[in-house]
Amino acid sequence: MIRRPPRSTLSSSSAASDVYKRQAWLETLTPARFFVASSFFSATGLVPTVTFNVAAGTLYGMFWGLMLFAASATIGAVLGFLAVRSSLRGFIHRQLKSYADQIRGFDQAIEREGPLYITILLRLSPVMPFAPANFLLGLTNIGLVPYALGTFIGLVPASFPYIYAGSLGSQAAGGSLSEDPVSVLFSVMGIVCTVLLTWKISMIARKTLESATSAPTRESVNTASSFL
């Protein structure tokens, strides 16, 4: 009797195969096509942005990979934002019904703290995935310029560790990374420190963002209770 492998094994091997195929496809793209693909998937959310994040570092190095990804993801974010402001607004609003309270909170926070500041915090914090954040901000009263600028500024530090890891992986695969144990140790320490720093920044941004969006609710509750 032939035993089938466990489902978990099949699903994990299938996922690994999908990641490999996606990476192989990305390696065939020119920088211009990579930019277009990254913009499209950043707008739609059909593929996680981290895929293009790491691939940008692997294919184009630290600096150019960071600039290419941040710029293309910003364009994608703007496309998603404009889609919400178009005839798709009603449909997207229905899809994001569960975020109704957050949308109101973000609107009030934007008025109080400023659109640029709130957008940067949202891009730095892991409070929600990239594409839903595009749609959510499109449903608020934020302007296009502070939205685009805040997205780009927030993406640079948020995507840095992924770009850095991708560029180091590319160097290791190509044999250009030094085999000296001390150099390898410093490279690994650099990745760890970068990830920890980014995590710390994201946690601070998340707490600040939660405080900014929940403050109006507390104020309104206090105001209402004063009339009772």
Side-chain angles (χ1 to χ4, degrees):
M1 183 177 179
I2 300 174
R3 289 185 178 180
R4 284 188 173 183
R7 285 188 179 180
S8 58
T9 305
L10 290 173
S11 60
S12 60
S13 61
S14 175
S17 176
D18 289 343
V19 171
Y20 177 79
K21 289 177 182 177
R22 198 179 294 160
Q23 188 68 24
W25 172 71
L26 287 169
E27 290 176 0
T28 65
L29 299 179
T30 62
R33 289 179 178 176
F34 182 95
F35 188 96
V36 172
S38 177
S39 298
F40 173 77
F41 288 112
S42 295
T44 60
L46 296 176
V47 173
T49 53
V50 68
T51 302
F52 288 89
N53 212 334
V54 175
T58 304
L59 299 175
Y60 307 110
M62 185 66 244
F63 177 76
W64 291 114
L66 182 61
M67 291 298 102
L68 184 64
F69 173 76
S72 61
T74 299
I75 294 297
V78 168
L79 292 176
F81 179 87
L82 293 176
V84 178
R85 295 289 173 92
S86 69
S87 57
L88 294 175
R89 184 183 182 94
F91 170 77
I92 294 173
H93 200 282
R94 287 192 296 273
Q95 299 304 310
L96 295 178
K97 236 179 218 180
S98 58
Y99 291 104
D101 291 338
Q102 285 178 282
I103 293 171
R104 283 193 293 271
F106 275 111
D107 249 335
Q108 293 171 342
I110 286 167
E111 290 179 7
R112 189 176 64 258
E113 306 290 345
L116 182 63
Y117 180 63
I118 294 298
T119 305
I120 292 173
L121 285 179
L122 185 59
R123 297 309 185 186
L124 284 173
S125 72
V127 70
M128 75 171 53
F130 190 81
N134 301 338
F135 302 144
L136 185 146
L137 287 174
L139 293 171
T140 67
N141 295 320
I142 192 172
L144 178 59
V145 173
Y147 168 80
L149 184 59
T151 295
F152 183 83
I153 293 172
L155 276 174
V156 171
S159 59
F160 181 82
Y162 302 101
I163 299 287
Y164 184 43
S167 65
L168 284 183
S170 177
Q171 292 175 38
S176 58
L177 190 66
S178 174
E179 296 181 0
D180 176 26
V182 177
S183 299
V184 173
L185 178 62
F186 274 107
S187 297
V188 172
M189 287 176 61
I191 293 177
V192 172
C193 290
T194 302
V195 170
L196 289 175
L197 179 61
T198 305
W199 174 80
K200 184 65 176 177
I201 292 172
S202 68
M203 289 300 103
I204 293 172
R206 180 176 183 173
K207 288 180 181 178
T208 306
L209 189 62
E210 288 175 351
S211 175
T213 54
S214 63
T217 304
R218 292 196 300 268
E219 290 172 5
S220 59
V221 170
N222 292 336
T223 303
S225 62
S226 67
F227 285 99
L228 296 177

